[in-house]
Amino acid sequence: MADTIRIGLDLGTKTLVCATRDEEGKPKFRQEINGFFVFPKQDAFTKNMLIQQKIPFIERDGKFIALGAKAEKFAYAINSTLKRPMAEGTISQESEAIVIMASIVQALIGKLDKDAILYYSIPAEAINKSTNVKFHDKIAKMIFHNYKRSKAKINAFPINEARAIAVATEEPVAVCCSFGAGMINVC
């Protein structure tokens, strides 16, 4: 276990945050906007623009799909809308949602040279509407199981996002709240 990398990942509706420790044991964080912008057709001009502007993208179904914060800046610059692979705390109904989420998560985690233990946040079931947290959790597990950036394996475990805050504190707490872009969780 000493050679195992430990990772924390907050799967937020607006932002994904990845936490690890550096060689000295200090926490380090990477984050990315959990969003995408679809270019309706593939052409050389669009591809060159994406490459020159260093906007991460994937090619899918004859379209370019820009990812993350740079996609967000581009969408807002042309007065358009950024799409999200998550809605209200769980995976959205967007047709590209799973592929987008997997691409952003894998880029955020990066290449692993050792096996990893990963704890990732999931919301609780909503009390005021129908949600499908079990499906969302299965999608997250599938993304970690199919991690393609290296030969290392990720052993992933879900944790309720408000409970993760409670576990992370050094003081005893009675109530923890997570105020996200998609929902509020209380533990």
Side-chain angles (χ1 to χ4, degrees), residues 15 26 32 37 40-41 48 54 60 74 76-78 90 140 147 152 166 172 185-186:
T15 308
K26 294 180 183 174
E32 185 58 84
F37 181 82
K41 63 179 183 173
N48 288 334
K54 297 181 179 164
R60 184 167 167 87
F74 180 83
Y76 295 160
I78 63 168
T90 60
Y147 188 76
N185 277 262
V186 178

Side-chain angles (χ1 to χ4, degrees), residues 154-179:
I154 295 177
N155 293 316
F157 303 94
I159 184 169
N160 173 277
E161 58 188 69
R163 188 170 198 295
I165 295 169
V167 170
T169 65
E170 294 182 12
E171 301 294 325
V173 293
V175 177
C176 283
C177 300
S178 169
F179 294 87

Side-chain angles (χ1 to χ4, degrees), residues 11-180:
L11 298 174
T13 300
K14 183 179 186 306
T15 308
L16 301 170
V17 180
C18 181
T20 56
R21 295 196 180 269
D22 64 17
E23 299 79 30
E24 298 167 5
K26 294 180 183 174
K28 66 179 189 177
F29 301 94
R30 295 180 65 203
Q31 68 180 34
E32 185 58 84
I33 296 297
N34 196 7
F36 63 101
F37 181 82
V38 179
F39 291 87
K41 63 179 183 173
Q42 287 182 333
D43 58 33
F45 174 80
T46 303
K47 186 171 189 172
N48 288 334
M49 186 267 308
L50 290 166
I51 292 168
Q52 287 176 356
Q53 297 298 315
K54 297 181 179 164
I55 299 173
F57 68 95
I58 60 174
E59 298 177 43
R60 184 167 167 87
D61 299 330
K63 303 173 191 169
F64 290 121
I65 303 173
L67 307 171
K70 290 186 177 183
E72 180 181 55
K73 287 180 183 176
F74 180 83
Y76 295 160
I78 63 168
N79 201 26
S80 190
T81 305
L82 187 74
K83 293 184 176 186
R84 303 232 178 250
M86 287 178 54
E88 299 177 337
T90 60
I91 197 79
S92 79
Q93 297 298 315
E94 290 284 344
S95 60
E96 301 95 348
I98 296 171
V99 172
I100 300 300
M101 186 86 154
S103 297
I104 296 172
V105 165
Q106 289 186 13
L108 195 57
I109 293 172
K111 187 174 181 183
L112 297 174
D113 52 1
K114 303 177 205 170
D115 288 351
I117 294 176
L118 183 142
Y119 283 92
Y120 61 98
S121 64
I122 59 166
E125 292 287 351
I127 59 172
N128 62 340
K129 65 181 350 181
S130 177
T131 55
N132 195 343
V133 173
K134 287 181 183 178
F135 176 72
H136 175 74
D137 186 33
K138 284 182 181 181
I139 295 300
K141 285 180 181 168
M142 181 183 71
I143 290 169
F144 304 130
H145 179 75
N146 293 324
Y147 188 76
K148 292 186 176 26
R149 290 252 171 170
S150 62
K151 293 182 181 179
K153 290 191 169 102
I154 295 177
N155 293 316
F157 303 94
I159 184 169
N160 173 277
E161 58 188 69
R163 188 170 198 295
I165 295 169
V167 170
T169 65
E170 294 182 12
E171 301 294 325
V173 293
V175 177
C176 283
C177 300
S178 169
F179 294 87

